[in-house]
């Protein structure tokens, strides 16, 4: 009886691991899409609304899922509190602090980090150009994320169940 209970626990744990990995592949394209929309809204707020950067970041954060919302909030806080940090520094710090919460890959992190070097140090038109560049790079990453999802999501689900079954078979 105890052996059966252990086998069920092992099978459940391996299955949960596989489903967790698969869900990361499912969340990544959705988060990239939200990030693209957020950057497009940031461009609109800055270019047409003439909204100051900290306020624009907070407005956008209110419209995002929690993982990405915390990124935009953490980038806005030092700017609102006048801590002496530049917009680029606060953006990089927010990206580094919030990165583990997201399902995004290092490619998206690099795009966001590169964007921080021009954020807040040039005129609106130049910043809008750099935001459009980041959006176009993220769009390419989104396509790659969709391909990865189609390729690996089902594999990880199956692999989790099969690995659990393999371990249970080895136990008996």
């Amino acid at each position: 009886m105890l052996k059966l209970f252990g086998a069920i626990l092992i099978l459940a744990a391996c299955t949960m691991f596989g489903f967790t990995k698969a869900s990361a592949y499912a969340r990544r394209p959705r988060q990239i899409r939200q990030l693209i929309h957020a950057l497009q809204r940031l461009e609109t707020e800055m270019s047409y609304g003439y909204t100051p950067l900290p306020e624009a970041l907070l407005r956008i954060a209110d419209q995002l899922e929690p993982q990405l919302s915390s990124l935009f909030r953490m980038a806005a806080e030092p700017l609102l509190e006048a801590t002496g940090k530049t917009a680029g520094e606060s953006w990089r710090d927010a990206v580094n602090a919030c990165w583990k919460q997201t399902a995004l890959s290092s490619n998206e992190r690099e795009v966001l980090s590169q964007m921080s070097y021009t954020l807040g140090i040039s005129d609106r038109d130049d910043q809008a150009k750099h935001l459009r560049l980041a959006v176009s790079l993220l769009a390419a990453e989104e396509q790659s994320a969709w391909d990865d999802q189609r390729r690996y999501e089902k594999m990880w689900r199956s692999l989790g169940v099969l690995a659990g079954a393999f371990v249970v078979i080895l136990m008996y």
Side-chain angles (χ1 to χ4, degrees):
M1 183 66 172
L2 191 58
K3 201 172 189 181
L4 179 65
F5 183 67
I8 291 171
L9 283 178
I10 289 173
L11 186 62
C14 289
T15 301
M16 292 278 291
F17 177 76
F19 273 71
T20 302
K21 288 289 282 185
S23 73
Y25 281 103
R27 284 191 331 260
R28 183 173 169 234
R30 189 178 70 240
Q31 286 183 353
I32 293 173
R33 173 57 43 195
Q34 279 194 342
L35 195 54
I36 288 171
H37 288 304
L39 293 179
Q40 288 171 337
R41 282 191 297 252
L42 181 61
E43 177 189 354
T44 302
E45 289 278 346
M46 290 169 54
S47 297
Y48 301 110
Y50 294 102
T51 308
L53 185 59
E55 291 177 29
L57 291 171
L58 288 176
R59 282 186 191 174
I60 293 166
D62 291 338
Q63 302 167 2
L64 297 173
E65 68 179 38
Q67 294 88 359
L68 295 176
S69 177
S70 64
L71 169 70
F72 283 82
R73 284 189 199 289
M74 285 184 71
E77 286 172 2
L79 299 175
L80 289 171
E81 296 169 359
T83 59
K85 282 188 175 180
T86 66
E89 289 171 341
S90 65
W91 182 259
R92 275 191 304 276
D93 291 346
V95 167
N96 291 334
C98 297
W99 197 255
K100 299 249 188 232
Q101 299 171 7
T102 67
L104 301 173
S105 74
S106 60
N107 295 337
E108 291 89 23
R109 183 179 190 168
E110 183 61 31
V111 169
L112 293 177
S113 293
Q114 289 298 320
M115 187 186 77
S116 72
Y117 293 111
T118 58
L119 193 62
I121 62 168
S122 59
D123 65 343
R124 285 181 172 86
D125 294 332
D126 189 47
Q127 288 185 41
K129 266 193 319 193
H130 288 286
L131 286 171
R132 282 192 295 270
L133 174 64
V135 164
S136 67
L137 293 172
L138 287 173
E141 290 300 323
E142 181 187 19
Q143 184 58 44
S144 171
W146 282 113
D147 293 342
D148 287 348
Q149 180 186 5
R150 278 192 294 273
R151 190 176 309 134
Y152 298 121
E153 183 180 19
K154 189 175 179 181
M155 180 196 73
W156 274 106
R157 285 189 179 131
S158 302
L159 192 61
V161 173
L162 291 174
F166 179 70
V167 170
V168 168
I169 289 171
L170 284 178
M171 279 179 37
Y172 283 105

